[in-house]
């Protein structure tokens, strides 16, 4: 069962060949047996999962079903779950148990899905390797067969590793600068970052509020569509949620791609990309040409400024968002503070990890008097230029395609001592978040036995088109079905 997709498992449950309790127990047993190698979970909710599976079987018997009734999955440990520890990968929230559900959590609960637990992540979603987690690094299932411990990407590395290792058929994730697409690419799974505002951020612990977006991670584009059907929609509890009709994303999956216009941004096929990676991506684009698509080169002239702008805007917003963790209301508190200032300083010094402190310092500096205009305001102006580049490109083409990452998964510890090198891992993904448009990563081959991701980028609210393009590609290739040894 662990090799079946969400769509296939849904059909198995519908036919009565397996019950949700049996299916849930199989995945729980697999997590117990295998996750010691990966550390992809922070919390496993075995008792609650089996109770939910029993309830799902009762719902099914009563005829009250959705495609998700009784399907096991996992949440990234950034989504609040009522009564279940939600840590955000940090010592600061090591023992935090929310008294409410995030909207995404509530939507899956209402759909009858069975949550098996919470997946590991970079602390407060700040990282590209899931090495900054207080609960230890996650290991990419790919590479272990070669005797190497490689990163799964980040910050949603736990979700990507769990899906790749077949510990769950699907998992929720979030993307601030590439945190769905980059780990999806490095772990050989399919991940989608929707349009900003498409999925509610209520109950999703904030990193950078104007960039954060909840999304999906599974092995197939069809499963991502099934997930987005549950997650997308207007939420009055989230002021950035967009009140726009949500289509059924599975309806257009099988539409032919004849006439699809694909743009290849020349800035994304640069010296930063290894020749072997470029070859795999261009091979994937040729498959689209066989399916009837046309290809042309386009330009995103301000793409080179994306990383610089992002690493002013994101830390600035993080600095503001993380000011709430002061040891007074909830979360970690230092022992025996001498006074209020000692409580603040020691709580934050002891509760936050190195990367989080680094970004708070950078962000606070960028927002300080005398520097706001020079850094934060300038970065927001650059952000508008980047957004306009994409608007111009989509006047010529339907989708853009590029590599998701400049190289395959790197060895653990290789880049932790050089933050800038780590930041460059997101060179092809960050501009998409600054513009707020949707994009996804699809498995598209291997380099040195490690997965390569093809990034498909769309105009605002074009998730259905992206999923259609990814699904059609997966009908003629089998990269998404490869399993790490």
């Amino acid at each position: 069962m662990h090799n079946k997709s969400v769509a296939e498992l849904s059909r198995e449950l519908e036919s009565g060949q397996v019950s949700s309790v049996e299916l849930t127990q199989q995945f729980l047993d697999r997590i117990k047996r295998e996750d010691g190698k990966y550390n992809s979970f922070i919390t496993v909710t075995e008792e609650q999962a089996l109770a939910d599976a029993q309830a799902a079987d009762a719902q099914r018997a009563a005829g009250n079903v959705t495609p998700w009734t009784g399907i096991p999955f996992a949440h990234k440990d950034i989504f609040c779950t009522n009564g279940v520890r939600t840590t955000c990968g940090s010592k600061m929230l090591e023992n935090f148990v929310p008294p409410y559900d995030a909207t995404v959590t509530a939507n899956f609960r209402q759909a009858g899905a069975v949550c098996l637990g919470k997946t590991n992540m970079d602390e407060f979603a700040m990282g590209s390797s899931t090495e900054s987690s207080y609960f230890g690094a996650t290991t990419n299932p790919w590479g272990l067969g070669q005797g190497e411990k490689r990163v799964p990407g980040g910050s949603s590395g736990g979700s990507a590793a769990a899906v790749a290792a077949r510990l769950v058929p699907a998992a929720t994730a979030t993307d601030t600068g590439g945190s769905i697409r980059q780990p999806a690419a490095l772990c050989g799974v399919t991940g989608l970052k929707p349009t900003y505002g498409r999925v509610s951020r209520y109950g999703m612990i904030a990193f950078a509020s104007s960039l954060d977006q909840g999304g999906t991670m599974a092995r197939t584009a069809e499963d991502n569509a099934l997930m987005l059907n549950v997650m997308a929609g207007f939420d009055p509890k989230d002021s950035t949620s967009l009140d726009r009709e949500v289509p059924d994303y599975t309806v257009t999956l099988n539409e032919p791609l004849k006439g699809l216009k694909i743009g290849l941004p020349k800035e994304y096929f640069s010296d930063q990309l290894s020749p072997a990676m470029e070859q795999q991506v261009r091979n994937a684009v040729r498959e689209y040409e066989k399916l009837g698509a046309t290809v042309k080169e386009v330009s995103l002239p301000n793409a080179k400024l994306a990383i610089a702008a992002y690493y002013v805007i994101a830390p600035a917003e993080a600095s503001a968002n993380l000011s709430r963790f002061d040891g007074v209301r909830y979360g970690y508190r230092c022992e025996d503070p001498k006074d209020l200032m000692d409580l603040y300083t020691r709580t934050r010094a002891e509760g936050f990890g190195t990367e989080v402190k680094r970004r708070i310092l950078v962000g606070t500096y960028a927002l300080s008097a005398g520097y706001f205009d020079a850094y934060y305001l300038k970065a927001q102006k650059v952000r508008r230029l980047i957004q306009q580049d994409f608007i111009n490109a989509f006047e010529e083409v339907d989708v853009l395609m590029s590599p998701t990452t400049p190289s395959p998964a790197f060895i653990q510890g290789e880049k932790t001592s050089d933050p800038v090198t780590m930041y460059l891992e997101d060179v092809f993904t960050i501009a998409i978040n600054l513009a707020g448009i949707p994009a996804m990563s699809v498995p598209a081959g291997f380099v040195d036995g490690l997965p390569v991701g093809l990034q498909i980028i769309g105009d605002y609210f074009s998730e259905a088109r992206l999923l259609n393009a990814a699904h059609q590609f997966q009908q003629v290739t089998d990269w998404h079905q490869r399993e790490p040894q």
Side-chain angles (χ1 to χ4, degrees):
M1 287 291 173
H2 69 271
N3 258 324
K4 293 184 183 293
S5 68
V6 170
E8 290 167 335
L9 291 174
S10 188
R11 290 191 287 270
E12 297 271 348
L13 287 166
E14 184 67 31
S15 68
Q17 293 183 44
V18 67
S19 71
S20 179
V21 169
E22 292 168 335
L23 189 59
T24 299
Q25 189 65 64
Q26 284 187 38
F27 278 104
L28 287 168
D29 290 345
R30 186 168 172 82
I31 292 169
K32 204 176 294 183
R33 190 172 63 248
E34 301 286 339
D35 196 42
K37 292 181 287 192
Y38 313 120
N39 193 34
S40 64
F41 278 85
I42 292 175
T43 304
V44 177
T45 53
E46 182 171 3
E47 191 176 321
Q48 184 64 54
L50 289 169
D52 290 347
Q54 200 168 7
D57 285 335
Q59 279 185 319
R60 196 169 284 281
N64 181 21
V65 296
T66 76
W68 279 93
T69 303
I71 298 288
F73 78 112
H75 277 303
K76 182 178 179 178
D77 203 17
I78 198 170
F79 292 101
C80 286
T81 39
N82 189 358
V84 177
R85 184 173 70 143
T86 301
T87 71
C88 218
S90 179
K91 179 180 180 179
M92 188 63 81
L93 293 175
E94 181 180 8
N95 299 306
F96 174 59
V97 178
Y100 69 100
D101 274 335
T103 297
V104 165
T105 309
N107 287 355
F108 274 103
R109 203 186 294 278
Q110 191 173 356
V114 177
C115 180
L116 303 183
K118 311 294 288 293
T119 59
N120 203 0
M121 56 179 286
D122 280 302
E123 185 181 8
F124 284 102
M126 298 182 196
S128 304
S129 63
T130 316
E131 292 176 287
S132 71
S133 171
Y134 176 67
F135 301 93
T138 294
T139 299
N140 191 331
W142 293 95
L144 279 177
Q146 303 169 7
E148 297 169 336
K149 284 196 166 187
R150 293 183 176 268
V151 302
S155 64
S156 307
S159 291
V163 172
R166 285 23 178 196
L167 304 184
V168 287
T172 58
T174 63
D175 194 309
T176 307
S179 290
I180 289 175
R181 291 157 288 151
Q182 188 245 15
L186 299 192
C187 289
V189 300
T190 307
L192 169 68
K193 182 207 91 72
T195 303
Y196 180 78
R198 200 36 147 166
V199 172
S200 172
R201 293 190 303 111
Y202 176 76
M204 190 178 95
I205 297 169
F207 160 20
S209 300
S210 74
L211 299 162
D212 296 342
Q213 185 57 70
T216 62
M217 205 171 279
R219 294 213 313 280
T220 70
E222 182 181 18
D223 287 356
N224 277 260
L226 288 167
M227 291 186 78
L228 195 58
N229 278 349
V230 175
M231 295 174 73
F234 175 67
D235 180 12
K237 295 175 183 173
D238 174 9
S239 62
T240 61
S241 178
L242 298 168
D243 191 0
R244 186 179 173 119
E245 187 180 349
V246 179
D248 180 346
Y249 292 104
T250 62
V251 168
T252 54
L253 288 176
N254 292 310
E255 288 187 358
L257 298 184
K258 187 171 177 59
L260 181 75
K261 290 180 281 188
I262 297 172
L264 302 183
K266 63 181 181 182
E267 292 80 5
Y268 286 0
F269 292 85
S270 63
D271 294 341
Q272 291 170 301
L273 183 63
S274 74
M277 292 283 289
E278 180 172 354
Q279 186 62 49
Q280 292 299 320
V281 172
R282 291 196 182 277
N283 288 346
V285 172
R286 276 193 279 275
E287 291 295 334
Y288 278 99
E289 289 180 300
K290 292 177 191 173
L291 291 168
T294 58
V295 179
K296 67 176 290 188
E297 187 180 84
V298 297
S299 179
L300 302 172
N302 294 294
K304 63 182 181 294
L305 303 174
I307 285 185
Y310 176 89
Y311 280 103
V312 171
I313 294 167
E317 294 183 8
S319 166
N321 279 325
L322 270 60
S323 64
R324 70 193 67 173
F325 299 108
D326 54 12
V328 176
R329 285 157 290 193
Y330 58 91
Y332 176 78
R333 176 184 291 192
C334 70
E335 291 186 9
D336 302 321
K338 287 181 286 188
D339 52 33
L340 188 62
M341 187 57 68
D342 187 45
L343 169 69
Y344 288 160
T345 55
R346 281 207 292 124
T347 292
R348 290 169 68 80
E350 295 167 15
F352 289 136
T354 303
E355 182 59 31
V356 173
K357 289 176 188 171
R358 181 183 291 119
R359 298 200 193 193
I360 289 173
L361 288 169
V362 170
T364 304
Y365 180 82
L367 292 175
S368 59
Y371 295 103
F372 182 89
D373 288 355
Y375 291 105
Y376 187 74
L377 191 62
K378 179 73 75 175
Q380 291 288 18
K381 290 177 179 178
V382 170
R383 181 182 193 169
R384 184 67 186 86
L385 295 175
I386 291 167
Q387 182 187 35
Q388 190 61 49
D389 284 350
F390 282 109
I391 291 170
N392 295 342
F394 289 122
E395 288 177 357
E396 300 179 47
V397 296
D398 299 317
V399 298
L400 301 173
M401 290 187 183
S402 77
T404 309
T405 61
S407 59
F410 50 93
I411 293 171
Q412 287 179 354
E414 189 179 312
K415 301 187 179 184
T416 48
S417 61
D418 186 352
V420 175
T421 305
M422 185 78 82
Y423 297 164
L424 290 171
E425 283 299 304
D426 296 326
V427 66
F428 300 136
T429 56
I430 275 176
I432 285 88
N433 295 81
L434 291 170
I437 54 179
M440 64 188 299
S441 182
V442 181
F446 289 84
V447 168
D448 298 329
L450 298 168
V452 172
L454 169 72
Q455 182 172 224
I456 312 174
I457 307 163
D459 203 354
Y460 297 99
F461 304 106
S462 65
E463 290 85 357
R465 173 174 275 164
L466 299 186
L467 289 162
N468 166 229
H471 181 70
Q472 290 302 304
F473 179 70
Q474 291 181 343
Q475 300 310 295
V476 296
T477 62
D478 67 350
W479 303 120
H480 62 291
Q481 294 174 347
R482 304 289 180 92
E483 186 175 3
Q485 298 300 312

